[in-house]
Amino acid sequence: MASTTTELKVSAFLAYKFIAKGNRGTSALTILIMALAFVNLMFTTSVFDGMGDATEKQVIDTLYSNIVIEPKDDEVYIKNPDSVVKKIIHVPGVIGTSAQYVTGATIAYEERSGAWSIRAVDPDDERTVSLVPDMMIAGEYLSKYDRGEIIIGKEIAGGHGGSLEHISLGGVVVGDTVEVTFTNGVRREYRVKGIFDTNFIQSNQLAYVTEKELESVLGIHDMASQILVKTDTKGEEGRFLNQFVELGVHEDIKPWTVYAGIVATLTQSFSVLNTLTGAIGFFVAGVTIFIVIYVSTVSKRRQMGILRAIGIKESIIIRSYIFQAVFYAMCGCIAGLVIMFAILVPYFIKHPMVFPMGNVTLLIEQKAAIVRSVGLIISAAIAGFLPSWRAVRETILDAIWGD
Amino acid sequence: MMKRDGQDTIIATRNLSRTYVMGNMQVTALNQVTIDIRRGEFAAIMGKSGSGKSTLLHQLGLLDTPTEGEIMIDGVDISRLSESEQTRFRLEKFGYVFQEYAILPELTALENVYLPAMALGLSQDECVTKGVDALEKVGLAERADHRPRALSGGEQQRVAIARALINKPKILFADEPTANLDSASSKQILELFRALNRDIGQTVLMVTHELEDADIVDRVIWLADGEVVEREG
Ligand SMILES: Nc1ncnc2c1ncn2[C@@H]1O[C@H](COP(=O)(O)OP(=O)(O)OP(=O)(O)O)[C@@H](O)[C@H]1O
Ligand SMILES: [Mg+2]
């Protein structure tokens, strides 16, 4: 039916005229409110996405790198970790490995003590998979042949304003001696060589000694609790996993995501909040459009009656209002994105929010932006439809002469 | 151009009634009205306030549905038309001029005029050509690009008339088109109707309460209490 294009043309013509030649102030205000509704929809999501992103980065950079190779289920250690490393080190995209021991220990300083995890690493290897060596806030990182020295995270040291100050050692400084009791009962004194701060509560609760140091404590050598593997890309861990298996790695191979339970919990608990604010945002935007269109249909009631009287179809009139609503919503989305990118994102880059997972800035995911824009436009279309549909329900005579 | 194609009937009503029910009161606004309007006729509907003039015009103009009776327009029994067919019928065959000027303030005079042509599916060029043509007929061609707020009441009413003429309607309906105008403008509008009727044979059906209008029209249909009467004061 050619008349459909005609109808669309007339609807678009009326909508265009009503917007372009109607009240500029009303249009500007409507678009502003739409923009704020959009920002409201996007803001919480971008904070959560930013938190997730920050957490992911932290987990990879300061905790587990991209891939973790662990002993098979029934074993405590990977035997001969060098042979495993040799198998995978030449895989394209693998840019670092670090075999290490992980053990529990009680660390005590004066009358305070606590249980923490200690990693024993080869400092040179560790630098290829972790950013912790670059995050020293006091003293220095370990060197390969250090014995009797330990570096500790700021949540262990205390005195640096961490979130877990109450269970810390209460202000250990570089050069202090702490007493470490390992799970096998061995007790040794260590000089604190350095203190690091990753901004991430998890990695700030770790302590590091050299591999050689711990081997002498445990009386074993040439083993590892885990091998961290750094890859040059994020998100392709599955591909590397398959390749490692093909190359004959028989140990347990896991991507970092398995350890990032905190990310999942965080996302889940926030997603409820996120959905709620989203629903409210759509509702507010919908109601705004509804009111704007409603006021317009009321003030144009008689004119619409006349248009119907002279033979303009109701569907043309309804559609002209839907077009207006959609136009306002689209402008609102664009203006909202401009506000986000031109004002809010730069602001939070300058003044990041401080969360336990580190400094968080807004992350605007394309998918989130598209979903919310489409949602906003759909709720605007519905909100534009309702009052105009209602307006053409009444008889032509009531519309023109009714009160 | 003289075009008086005979004495054929364009509107015929048989026993047309319209009763309004208000609570338990019934108001018979039209009572058994039987009239014939000839093609090319300039007819006025006159009568006291409340006599049913507007009601009759609304029935004939398909803006309301009669309680009883038949209406044949241009050979079509309009009771057989669906609502959307009636809308189309109005767009193609009728032109309306109301008491209020009733044009859209956001559109220019020309755009107001060609809107019904656009709704018929005419191209932009055709719309503009026809619109300018219609504005010329009402003597407002040079005001084509003005918005209504820049036009006087009489000029706005002439824009409304041009809009009513754009699709070359079979019948032009007008309900007290001069009620809001000063006498000079009123005269101009009436002369415009007269000229349209004379020059292009436009059928015009106009409600008026100005007695002197009776002299200018071909025929007066007098109404009293919803009934057609011979003649009233
Ligand atoms: N919607 C309605 N509901 C109830 N009664 C109505 C309605 N419309 C008109 N009437 C009644 O029908 C009768 C005829 O009204 P109509 O509007 O046709 O008169 P009119 O001749 O046009 O009067 P006027 O010269 O004042 O315009 C009046 O008694 C009026 O009160
Ligand atoms: Mg009347």
Side-chain angles (χ1 to χ4, degrees), chain A residues 65-87:
Chain A
S65 199
N66 297 82
I67 294 167
V68 183
I69 301 175
E70 289 190 334
K72 278 171 273 185
D73 275 348
D74 47 350
E75 287 171 28
V76 183
Y77 296 110
I78 300 168
K79 293 188 188 75
N80 196 0
D82 279 354
S83 71
V84 178
V85 168
K86 272 205 192 85
K87 284 177 193 161

Short mmCIF file of all heavy atoms in Angstrom, two decimals, chain A residues 65-87:
data_model
loop_
_atom_site.label_atom_id
_atom_site.label_comp_id
_atom_site.label_asym_id
_atom_site.label_seq_id
_atom_site.Cartn_x
_atom_site.Cartn_y
_atom_site.Cartn_z
N SER A 65 47.79 -13.06 37.47
CA SER A 65 48.15 -12.92 36.06
C SER A 65 47.02 -13.50 35.21
O SER A 65 45.88 -13.54 35.68
CB SER A 65 49.49 -13.61 35.78
OG SER A 65 50.00 -13.10 34.57
N ASN A 66 47.29 -13.94 33.96
CA ASN A 66 46.18 -14.36 33.10
C ASN A 66 45.79 -15.82 33.29
O ASN A 66 44.61 -16.16 33.25
CB ASN A 66 46.54 -14.13 31.64
CG ASN A 66 46.75 -12.67 31.33
OD1 ASN A 66 47.83 -12.15 31.57
ND2 ASN A 66 45.73 -12.00 30.84
N ILE A 67 46.80 -16.65 33.47
CA ILE A 67 46.53 -18.09 33.56
C ILE A 67 47.30 -18.66 34.73
O ILE A 67 48.44 -18.25 35.00
CB ILE A 67 46.93 -18.80 32.25
CG1 ILE A 67 46.03 -18.32 31.10
CG2 ILE A 67 46.84 -20.33 32.38
CD1 ILE A 67 46.52 -18.70 29.73
N VAL A 68 46.65 -19.58 35.46
CA VAL A 68 47.29 -20.20 36.61
C VAL A 68 47.37 -21.70 36.36
O VAL A 68 46.37 -22.33 36.02
CB VAL A 68 46.48 -19.95 37.89
CG1 VAL A 68 47.22 -20.55 39.09
CG2 VAL A 68 46.25 -18.47 38.10
N ILE A 69 48.58 -22.26 36.47
CA ILE A 69 48.74 -23.71 36.36
C ILE A 69 48.94 -24.24 37.77
O ILE A 69 49.80 -23.77 38.51
CB ILE A 69 49.94 -24.07 35.46
CG1 ILE A 69 49.73 -23.47 34.07
CG2 ILE A 69 50.10 -25.59 35.38
CD1 ILE A 69 50.90 -23.67 33.12
N GLU A 70 48.09 -25.20 38.14
CA GLU A 70 48.12 -25.74 39.49
C GLU A 70 48.40 -27.24 39.45
O GLU A 70 48.19 -27.88 38.43
CB GLU A 70 46.76 -25.51 40.17
CG GLU A 70 46.50 -24.06 40.50
CD GLU A 70 45.27 -23.90 41.38
OE1 GLU A 70 44.38 -24.77 41.31
OE2 GLU A 70 45.21 -22.91 42.13
N PRO A 71 48.81 -27.80 40.59
CA PRO A 71 49.05 -29.24 40.62
C PRO A 71 47.76 -30.00 40.34
O PRO A 71 46.67 -29.47 40.59
CB PRO A 71 49.52 -29.50 42.06
CG PRO A 71 49.75 -28.18 42.68
CD PRO A 71 49.08 -27.14 41.87
N LYS A 72 47.92 -31.23 39.84
CA LYS A 72 46.73 -32.06 39.66
C LYS A 72 46.05 -32.26 41.01
O LYS A 72 46.68 -32.13 42.06
CB LYS A 72 47.15 -33.41 39.07
CG LYS A 72 47.32 -33.32 37.56
CD LYS A 72 47.93 -34.59 36.99
CE LYS A 72 49.45 -34.51 37.05
NZ LYS A 72 50.15 -35.62 36.42
N ASP A 73 44.76 -32.59 40.95
CA ASP A 73 43.94 -32.65 42.17
C ASP A 73 44.58 -33.36 43.35
O ASP A 73 44.49 -32.90 44.48
CB ASP A 73 42.60 -33.34 41.85
CG ASP A 73 41.61 -32.33 41.30
OD1 ASP A 73 41.90 -31.11 41.39
OD2 ASP A 73 40.56 -32.76 40.78
N ASP A 74 45.21 -34.52 43.10
CA ASP A 74 45.70 -35.33 44.22
C ASP A 74 47.12 -34.97 44.64
O ASP A 74 47.72 -35.65 45.44
CB ASP A 74 45.61 -36.82 43.85
CG ASP A 74 46.17 -37.10 42.47
OD1 ASP A 74 46.45 -36.10 41.74
OD2 ASP A 74 46.34 -38.27 42.12
N GLU A 75 47.65 -33.89 44.09
CA GLU A 75 49.02 -33.54 44.45
C GLU A 75 49.10 -32.16 45.07
O GLU A 75 48.28 -31.29 44.83
CB GLU A 75 49.92 -33.61 43.20
CG GLU A 75 50.17 -35.06 42.81
CD GLU A 75 50.87 -35.19 41.48
OE1 GLU A 75 51.61 -34.25 41.11
OE2 GLU A 75 50.65 -36.22 40.82
N VAL A 76 50.13 -31.96 45.90
CA VAL A 76 50.30 -30.69 46.59
C VAL A 76 51.15 -29.74 45.75
O VAL A 76 50.91 -28.55 45.70
CB VAL A 76 50.95 -30.90 47.97
CG1 VAL A 76 51.05 -29.56 48.72
CG2 VAL A 76 50.17 -31.92 48.79
N TYR A 77 52.15 -30.29 45.05
CA TYR A 77 53.05 -29.44 44.28
C TYR A 77 53.14 -29.90 42.83
O TYR A 77 52.90 -31.06 42.51
CB TYR A 77 54.46 -29.47 44.88
CG TYR A 77 54.52 -28.90 46.28
CD1 TYR A 77 54.74 -29.72 47.38
CD2 TYR A 77 54.36 -27.52 46.49
CE1 TYR A 77 54.80 -29.20 48.67
CE2 TYR A 77 54.41 -27.00 47.78
CZ TYR A 77 54.63 -27.84 48.86
OH TYR A 77 54.67 -27.32 50.12
N ILE A 78 53.51 -28.96 41.99
CA ILE A 78 53.90 -29.29 40.62
C ILE A 78 55.36 -29.70 40.70
O ILE A 78 56.20 -28.92 41.19
CB ILE A 78 53.75 -28.07 39.68
CG1 ILE A 78 52.30 -27.58 39.66
CG2 ILE A 78 54.26 -28.40 38.29
CD1 ILE A 78 52.14 -26.23 38.99
N LYS A 79 55.65 -30.90 40.24
CA LYS A 79 57.06 -31.32 40.27
C LYS A 79 57.76 -30.82 39.03
O LYS A 79 57.19 -30.81 37.95
CB LYS A 79 57.14 -32.84 40.36
CG LYS A 79 56.61 -33.34 41.70
CD LYS A 79 56.87 -34.84 41.88
CE LYS A 79 56.15 -35.34 43.11
NZ LYS A 79 54.68 -35.46 42.88
N ASN A 80 58.97 -30.38 39.21
CA ASN A 80 59.77 -29.89 38.10
C ASN A 80 59.05 -28.82 37.28
O ASN A 80 58.77 -29.02 36.09
CB ASN A 80 60.18 -31.08 37.21
CG ASN A 80 61.31 -30.70 36.28
OD1 ASN A 80 61.78 -29.57 36.31
ND2 ASN A 80 61.74 -31.64 35.45
N PRO A 81 58.72 -27.72 37.89
CA PRO A 81 57.97 -26.67 37.18
C PRO A 81 58.70 -26.15 35.93
O PRO A 81 58.06 -25.74 34.97
CB PRO A 81 57.81 -25.57 38.22
CG PRO A 81 58.78 -25.86 39.29
CD PRO A 81 59.02 -27.34 39.28
N ASP A 82 60.03 -26.22 35.94
CA ASP A 82 60.78 -25.75 34.77
C ASP A 82 60.37 -26.48 33.50
O ASP A 82 60.28 -25.88 32.43
CB ASP A 82 62.29 -25.96 34.99
CG ASP A 82 62.87 -24.83 35.83
OD1 ASP A 82 62.11 -23.87 36.11
OD2 ASP A 82 64.06 -24.91 36.19
N SER A 83 60.10 -27.78 33.64
CA SER A 83 59.73 -28.54 32.45
C SER A 83 58.38 -28.07 31.91
O SER A 83 58.15 -28.04 30.70
CB SER A 83 59.71 -30.04 32.76
OG SER A 83 58.60 -30.32 33.58
N VAL A 84 57.50 -27.71 32.84
CA VAL A 84 56.19 -27.19 32.41
C VAL A 84 56.39 -25.85 31.70
O VAL A 84 55.85 -25.61 30.62
CB VAL A 84 55.24 -27.03 33.61
CG1 VAL A 84 53.91 -26.43 33.14
CG2 VAL A 84 55.02 -28.36 34.31
N VAL A 85 57.19 -25.00 32.33
CA VAL A 85 57.43 -23.68 31.75
C VAL A 85 58.04 -23.81 30.36
O VAL A 85 57.64 -23.11 29.42
CB VAL A 85 58.34 -22.84 32.68
CG1 VAL A 85 58.85 -21.59 31.96
CG2 VAL A 85 57.61 -22.48 33.97
N LYS A 86 58.97 -24.75 30.22
CA LYS A 86 59.62 -24.94 28.92
C LYS A 86 58.61 -25.25 27.82
O LYS A 86 58.76 -24.84 26.68
CB LYS A 86 60.66 -26.07 29.00
CG LYS A 86 62.03 -25.59 29.43
CD LYS A 86 63.12 -26.54 28.93
CE LYS A 86 64.46 -26.25 29.60
NZ LYS A 86 64.62 -26.93 30.92
N LYS A 87 57.55 -26.03 28.22
CA LYS A 87 56.56 -26.43 27.21
C LYS A 87 55.79 -25.23 26.67
O LYS A 87 55.40 -25.20 25.51
CB LYS A 87 55.55 -27.41 27.83
CG LYS A 87 56.09 -28.81 28.02
CD LYS A 87 55.06 -29.67 28.71
CE LYS A 87 55.68 -30.97 29.19
NZ LYS A 87 54.86 -31.62 30.22
#
